[in-house]
Amino acid sequence: MGTTLGTDWALDWMTRAVKVVSDHRIELIELDRAIGDGDHGENLDRGFTAVAAKLAGARPADAGEVLKTVATTLMSTVGGAAGPLYGTAFLRGAKAADGELDAAGVAAVLEAGLQGIKARGKAEPGEKTMVDAWTPAAAAAREAAEAGRSAVEALRAAADAAVAGSEATIPMTATKGRASYLGERSAGHRDPGAESSALLLVAAAEAAEAAA
């Protein structure tokens, strides 16, 4: 099965997540300004900066503990819809993360995160939300696991699927969240939550590849 993913991977993922959110802060603000409140990039940057501070010097026992710390930190520091949505995703993912993660473990974490987002946001695929990035990501990870791939390969498949899922939100008309107020005018814009989800899952895959 190859490399399993544990605490070091989760910590490296968060280090990369902090950087990618900071690097794309303006882009996320502009995406959100087109169809939302315009605060997505700012809120996420604040949240992940707080995550970095919380994890600095911490000695978490396993990946699940890292994800739980991320969840509680994002819930308490990120405004708007993103805080509860990402917080719930990471919290459900933390509960599903049982020790070192193989490909099936990666799939379980992503599936749990997706279910958390759907439960909290009451959103389904095709409504132009972050669900449109997470749904194909979780499915790709599960498919990789069932094909006997490694945890690293499962995460890379998930990340690639999330990127494609984010891209697929561009022509959609939003029917959920703030963007739904725009109706047809929301079409032609990438969903900011789907894009930030893709960025975070790519960071997870890059951390896994670095650990392999």
Side-chain angles (χ1 to χ4, degrees), residues 187-198:
H189 299 281
R190 186 190 299 265
D191 180 69
E195 179 63 7
S196 62
S197 296

Side-chain angles (χ1 to χ4, degrees), residues 39-79:
D39 58 1
H40 189 61
E42 200 65 62
N43 285 341
L44 272 193
D45 191 35
R46 184 190 318 116
F48 278 95
T49 299
V51 164
K54 190 70 110 176
L55 290 174
R59 298 198 185 283
D62 53 26
E65 194 177 317
V66 175
L67 299 183
K68 187 176 180 185
T69 301
V70 174
T72 54
T73 306
L74 293 179
M75 282 177 170
S76 62
T77 56
V78 178

Side-chain angles (χ1 to χ4, degrees), residues 170-199:
I170 295 172
M172 290 179 186
T173 298
T175 55
K176 267 283 184 298
R178 185 72 185 226
S180 65
Y181 300 155
L182 293 173
E184 296 292 335
R185 285 180 297 140
S186 64
H189 299 281
R190 186 190 299 265
D191 180 69
E195 179 63 7
S196 62
S197 296
L199 291 171

